[in-house]
Amino acid sequence: MLKKKWGQHLLIAGGILKKLVEFAQIKDEIVVEIGPGPGNLTKELLRTPLKKLYLIEIDPEMIEKLKKSISDKRVIIIHADATKFDFSSLGYKDLKLIGNLPYNVASFIIENTVYFKDYIPFAYYMIQKEVAERLIKGYSWLSVFVRTFYNLKYLMSIPPRFFIPPPKVQSSFIEFKRKDFEEIKDLIKYKKFLTSIFAQKRKILRNKIPENVLYKASINPHSRVEELSINEFIRLFKVFENKN
Ligand code: SAH
């Protein structure tokens, strides 16, 4: 039985699964698959030279299926919630994440990925196309949060017919590639800062942030949040943080 509450839409087309794995260019490394379900993508991943494959799945029934159908010694199955999973607990510094995400909680999984960015140089996620577009080109607190630390790349779109059951939306596979260096330390504070300036998007910045902070960060107090570049968000946050 597939469960709606866990966003279970299984990818079935072998050609697509193969392509997704190719995009991830997996070498002799540690891979984590989010939401493996019955293991279709998992089996394709196991054809690569990966060193270890952690599977993080929330549904106990899927866990049972995985245990029965996968016997590869490199696989470690973890029954956990990927929106809250502590990736540092695995004990590796360079994880490659991949998954056909449950769309209802995809943004929480992405947010959690950023919290563990120090352990995750690459992630490859299948998400709702509209969400992917907003992350890559749009403006929301989450898109800025993600793009502060990762370069995003659109890889391919997949129509609903390649899933069982077909979702109501188009899907996209995207790459998160961590940027070389960004010294923002307190991510919770940064999230709070972003969510507060993204509330009431139309308001000019002067009505949300003290004018002297804006001047100090060389940002026009009359501009709106959508007019800032990622570097300007970072600059503004740094000045703001030092004043608070
Ligand atoms: N990768 C599989 C299944 C994708 S469907 C395939 O492509 O065929 C999404 C999967 O994520 C389901 O197996 C679902 O049970 C699991 N899932 C849903 N919420 C989750 C969460 N919070 N943490 C981990 N796995 C979750």
Side-chain angles (χ1 to χ4, degrees):
M1 247 315 263
L2 290 177
K3 302 182 193 78
K4 211 174 171 171
K5 69 165 173 177
W6 281 325
Q8 295 177 348
H9 294 275
L10 311 182
L11 255 176
I12 42 166
I16 303 237
L17 293 166
K18 208 179 198 134
K19 201 142 185 205
L20 301 185
V21 171
E22 271 168 25
F23 277 124
Q25 294 185 37
I26 295 168
K27 298 170 214 84
D28 175 23
E29 59 191 321
I30 313 294
V31 178
V32 181
E33 187 189 349
I34 311 279
N40 300 330
L41 181 62
T42 314
K43 284 171 198 137
E44 200 57 50
L45 287 167
L46 287 171
R47 294 170 187 264
T48 70
L50 60 79
K51 213 188 288 174
K52 245 184 202 180
L53 176 58
Y54 290 94
L55 305 178
I56 301 186
E57 173 58 58
I58 203 168
D59 181 354
E61 253 178 63
M62 291 294 185
I63 300 261
E64 285 315 307
K65 272 194 195 150
L66 287 167
K67 281 185 181 158
K68 282 191 196 124
S69 66
I70 290 174
S71 57
D72 195 299
K73 289 220 163 46
R74 296 172 292 171
V75 172
I76 296 156
I77 301 174
I78 302 178
H79 183 200
D81 179 346
T83 66
K84 301 194 182 96
F85 188 73
D86 173 1
F87 290 97
S88 71
S89 70
L90 301 179
Y92 292 99
K93 201 91 181 85
D94 291 313
L95 302 170
K96 189 169 268 183
L97 268 51
I98 185 164
N100 169 22
L101 299 188
Y103 294 174
N104 51 348
V105 292
S107 59
F108 298 110
I109 293 175
I110 291 169
E111 181 182 342
N112 193 41
T113 305
V114 177
Y115 291 134
F116 292 98
K117 64 182 172 55
D118 293 345
Y119 302 86
I120 306 172
F122 289 96
Y124 295 86
Y125 289 152
M126 177 84 75
I127 56 177
Q128 188 177 331
K129 185 172 189 175
E130 203 188 301
V131 175
E133 282 173 352
R134 239 183 297 141
L135 272 183
I136 295 175
K137 320 187 269 233
Y139 270 91
S140 66
W141 82 265
L142 184 62
S143 78
V144 173
F145 191 62
V146 170
R147 277 147 60 196
T148 297
F149 305 101
Y150 287 93
N151 287 313
L152 300 181
K153 191 167 153 198
Y154 160 89
L155 298 172
M156 74 183 291
S157 288
I158 296 98
R161 68 173 185 278
F162 291 109
F163 299 81
I164 289 183
K168 290 200 176 67
V169 295
Q170 298 282 329
S171 302
S172 296
F173 194 57
I174 62 175
E175 177 188 71
F176 295 64
K177 182 178 181 201
R178 195 176 59 204
K179 294 183 179 176
D180 286 342
F181 190 70
E182 186 38 63
E183 73 268 41
I184 290 178
K185 290 280 174 285
D186 190 338
L187 295 197
I188 299 292
K189 237 189 203 166
Y190 188 47
K191 174 187 174 175
K192 275 197 189 136
F193 166 78
L194 292 176
T195 50
S196 75
I197 61 171
F198 271 95
Q200 297 175 298
K201 258 190 180 178
R202 301 297 308 152
K203 268 195 178 173
I204 58 171
L205 289 171
R206 197 184 60 182
N207 294 334
K208 306 179 184 189
I209 289 179
E211 208 157 1
N212 62 331
V213 171
L214 291 161
Y215 279 123
K216 202 163 170 218
S218 322
I219 286 168
N220 178 356
H222 293 276
S223 53
R224 293 185 168 77
V225 71
E226 296 103 325
E227 295 170 74
L228 301 186
S229 67
I230 298 293
N231 285 335
E232 285 172 325
F233 281 107
I234 296 169
R235 205 162 71 215
L236 185 56
F237 174 66
K238 283 183 181 160
V239 176
F240 179 83
E241 204 186 15
N242 289 333
K243 299 244 166 181
N244 281 274

